[in-house]
């Protein structure tokens, strides 16, 4: 295969959504698999809807997902001179023509076609009779599309798809203000950037025959197309905001890992046996368009959460400690200065939390001394009969020279033995006193992470509550 060049070409009208992220991922993996080049192109010709904030959000989302581009970002708004040159080339060769039909006239033609139950395509008025353009008169430029025959798209995913040329009207390639249109810019850019493979969502398939005809008119070979199925919600409708979060930024802010999102997205439309979890190197080695399915992928938030949970359990504690810091800040807790302590805290919670945000919620009693004790739990477990064993435990914990889990367990064992109590009769009251609730990691782990000073302070406060 000749040197592979792929591109991801988003329109910056909002955040990078899940479907766009998967398209970027497929292009990235295909290029890397073949030792090729992955290009980022920002298609910002829609000046009314394109924003600098959206451009920045897209670039930052790709960076977070670690989808590094080799070239770009290129911006279409900086390439207008090239598009105008190509429009002029088609005009001079008679492959395009000027059209002076006004928007009102075009609307009237469209309505007339609808009344006659015809497809509302341009009727070719200015194609049949080239207009005389007066000075200052606005005009668009239309591509002279063939009226007969078929245009065949050889698609890697869908196979051969044939389009009747009679169904394709004369596409406007330059608006009356001189700005080029989407379909024309895409083709000129793909030619100029020597794109060999166009991998995109199959909602673009309808544009492809027009683009193929433009490649031919400009005298260039067409790239290999691969239109991948859309991503649907669990109700089989196209994925939208009513299905929940749909942007990469939202998942980042909810505390998902980029590795989890990449692993989940790659499996929406591509599979390699039953394997669910892939390293980046494995994805690059195994990715192939031959294994992209024809049916739509269904976005399942629970499955994504399961994949994220896998990474919570398996990523190094040092990485988790680094990643969780912004989530601690968002909740308004003071930033822990000791990363070693943060790693100890995370170790007690990583089997319980599915996201970084949940990790912070579960660790609230570690991160703040302002804990509120659940009333029902206090009434049930912080009762008068527990005060004596609790006092003895406080004394034993206060005298420990080494506040390790082993020493803490020994303090419990000796107290329980002297009082003739089972572990639960002391562990649950201590848990409520230290965490505010009846559910937490192992009590010895909790005490070791809290440390001697904070543990004793909370236990003494609970004792005061009992008295």
């Amino acid at each position: 295969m000749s040197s592979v060049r792929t591109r991801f070409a988003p329109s910056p009208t909002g955040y990078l959504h899940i479907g766009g992220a998967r398209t970027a991922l497929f292009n990235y993996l295909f290029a890397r698999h073949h030792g090729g080049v992955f290009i980022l192109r920002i298609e910002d010709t829609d000046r009314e809807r394109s924003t600098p904030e959206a451009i920045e959000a897209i670039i930052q989302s790709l960076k977070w997902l670690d989808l590094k581009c080799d070239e770009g970002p290129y911006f279409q708004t900086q390439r207008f001179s090239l598009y105008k040159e190509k429009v002029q080339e088609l005009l001079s060769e008679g492959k395009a023509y000027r059209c002076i039909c006004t928007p009102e006239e075009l609307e009237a033609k469209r309505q007339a076609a609808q009344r006659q139950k015809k497809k509302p395509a341009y009727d070719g008025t200015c194609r049949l009779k080239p207009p005389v353009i007066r000075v200052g008169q606005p005009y668009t430029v239309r591509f002279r599309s063939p009226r007969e025959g078929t245009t065949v798209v050889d698609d890697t995913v869908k196979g051969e798809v044939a389009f009747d040329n009679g169904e394709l009207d004369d596409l406007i390639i330059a608006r009356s203000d001189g700005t080029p249109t989407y379909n024309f810019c895409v083709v000129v850019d793909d030619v100029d950037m020597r794109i060999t493979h166009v991998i995109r969502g199959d909602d673009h398939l309808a544009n492809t025959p027009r683009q193929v005809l433009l490649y031919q008119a400009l005298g260039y070979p067409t790239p290999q197309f691969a239109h991948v199925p859309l991503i649907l919600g669990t109700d089989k409708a196209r994925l939208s905001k009513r299905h929940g979060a749909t942007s990469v930024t939202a998942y980042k802010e909810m505390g998902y890992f980029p590795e989890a999102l990449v692993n989940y997205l790659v499996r929406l439309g591509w599979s390699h046996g039953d394997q669910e979890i892939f390293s980046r190197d494995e994805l690059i080695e195994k990715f192939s368009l031959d294994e992209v399915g024809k049916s739509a992928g269904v976005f399942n938030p629970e499955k994504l959460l399961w994949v994220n949970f896998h990474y919570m359990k398996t990523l190094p504690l040092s990485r988790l400690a680094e990643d969780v810091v912004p989530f601690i800040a968002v909740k308004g807790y003071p930033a822990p200065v000791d990363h070693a302590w943060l790693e100890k805290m995370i170790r007690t919670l990583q089997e319980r939390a599915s996201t970084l945000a949940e990790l912070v919620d579960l660790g609230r009693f570690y991160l703040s001394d302002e804990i509120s004790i659940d009333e029902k739990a206090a009434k049930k477990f912080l009762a008068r009969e527990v005060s004596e064993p609790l006092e003895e435990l406080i004394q034993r914990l206060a005298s420990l020279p080494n506040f390790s889990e082993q020493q803490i367990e020994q303090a419990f064992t000796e107290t329980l033995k002297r009082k003739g109590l089972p572990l639960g009769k002391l562990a649950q009251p201590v848990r409520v006193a230290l965490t505010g609730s009846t559910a937490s990691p192992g009590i010895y782990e909790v005490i070791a992470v809290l440390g001697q000073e904070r543990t004793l302070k909370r236990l003494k406060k609970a004792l005061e509550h009992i008295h």
Side-chain angles (χ1 to χ4, degrees), residues 208-239:
T208 308
R210 292 182 172 88
Q211 292 173 7
V212 167
L213 291 169
L214 285 168
Y215 280 107
Q216 292 170 355
L218 289 165
Y220 293 102
T222 54
Q224 182 60 52
F225 290 100
H227 289 90
V228 298
L230 294 177
I231 299 174
L232 305 179
T234 47
D235 58 358
K236 301 296 170 71
R238 187 169 176 173
L239 194 66

Side-chain angles (χ1 to χ4, degrees), residues 2 13 31 59 117 123 146 156 205 212 244 249 264 274 281 292 294 374 390 405 407 419 437 444:
S2 61
T13 55
I59 290 170
K117 302 285 191 292
D123 64 359
T156 303
L205 184 62
V212 167
T249 306
Y264 182 70
D274 294 327
D281 288 344
V292 173
K294 289 183 169 63
D374 179 75
L390 197 54
E405 279 183 46
Q407 295 254 318
K419 297 294 180 186
S437 77
Y444 310 136

Side-chain angles (χ1 to χ4, degrees), residues 200-380:
R200 58 190 181 188
D202 65 7
D203 51 333
H204 286 279
L205 184 62
N207 289 324
T208 308
R210 292 182 172 88
Q211 292 173 7
V212 167
L213 291 169
L214 285 168
Y215 280 107
Q216 292 170 355
L218 289 165
Y220 293 102
T222 54
Q224 182 60 52
F225 290 100
H227 289 90
V228 298
L230 294 177
I231 299 174
L232 305 179
T234 47
D235 58 358
K236 301 296 170 71
R238 187 169 176 173
L239 194 66
S240 67
K241 285 179 182 171
R242 66 192 169 85
H243 296 107
T246 59
S247 76
V248 171
T249 306
Y251 284 100
K252 181 184 178 184
E253 289 172 352
M254 287 192 290
Y256 284 75
F257 300 107
E259 294 91 338
L261 204 52
V262 163
N263 258 269
Y264 182 70
L265 287 178
V266 81
R267 294 283 278 105
L268 283 179
W270 175 83
S271 60
H272 188 82
D274 294 327
Q275 188 170 343
E276 294 281 357
I277 307 296
F278 299 83
S279 69
R280 181 64 58 106
D281 288 344
E282 281 181 306
L283 284 176
I284 290 168
E285 178 202 335
K286 298 177 189 303
F287 186 80
S288 160
L289 291 174
D290 297 336
E291 291 173 314
V292 173
K294 289 183 169 63
S295 55
V298 175
F299 189 81
N300 183 340
E302 274 128 33
K303 184 67 179 290
L304 172 57
L305 199 61
W306 175 85
V307 176
N308 207 64
F309 181 50
H310 165 83
Y311 281 97
M312 181 69 79
K313 290 186 295 181
T314 56
L315 284 171
L317 286 168
S318 57
R319 159 76 186 277
L320 296 177
E322 193 177 312
D323 285 1
V324 82
V325 169
F327 294 88
I328 292 171
V330 162
K331 287 288 185 180
Y333 298 127
V337 288
D338 185 353
H339 258 234
W341 177 84
L342 199 49
E343 287 181 27
K344 276 169 68 179
M345 178 199 107
I346 292 166
R347 187 186 285 115
T348 71
L349 298 169
Q350 68 184 134
E351 293 281 344
R352 295 163 171 263
S354 295
T355 67
L356 291 166
E358 191 182 359
L359 186 69
V360 173
D361 286 341
L362 291 173
R364 62 193 176 280
F365 59 86
Y366 288 130
L367 296 163
S368 171
D369 289 321
E370 300 293 318
I371 63 161
S372 57
I373 294 178
D374 179 75
E375 280 183 35
K376 282 185 183 174
K379 197 172 181 181
K380 184 174 180 182

Side-chain angles (χ1 to χ4, degrees), residues 137-205:
Q137 184 178 11
Y139 63 86
T140 58
V141 178
R142 288 183 181 271
F143 175 61
R144 197 182 292 273
S145 184
R147 285 280 190 256
E148 296 171 350
T150 56
T151 297
V152 176
V153 177
D154 180 18
D155 194 275
T156 303
V157 176
K158 296 188 167 296
E160 282 195 355
V161 187
F163 295 86
D164 180 358
N165 289 341
E167 293 290 306
L168 308 174
D169 63 354
D170 290 353
L171 177 76
I172 292 175
I173 58 174
R175 301 179 187 92
S176 56
D177 63 359
T179 58
T181 58
Y182 167 77
N183 278 299
F184 187 68
C185 295
V186 167
V187 171
V188 172
D189 283 340
D190 285 347
V191 166
D192 190 59
M193 295 171 190
R194 307 189 310 285
I195 301 301
T196 60
H197 293 75
V198 173
I199 305 166
R200 58 190 181 188
D202 65 7
D203 51 333
H204 286 279
L205 184 62

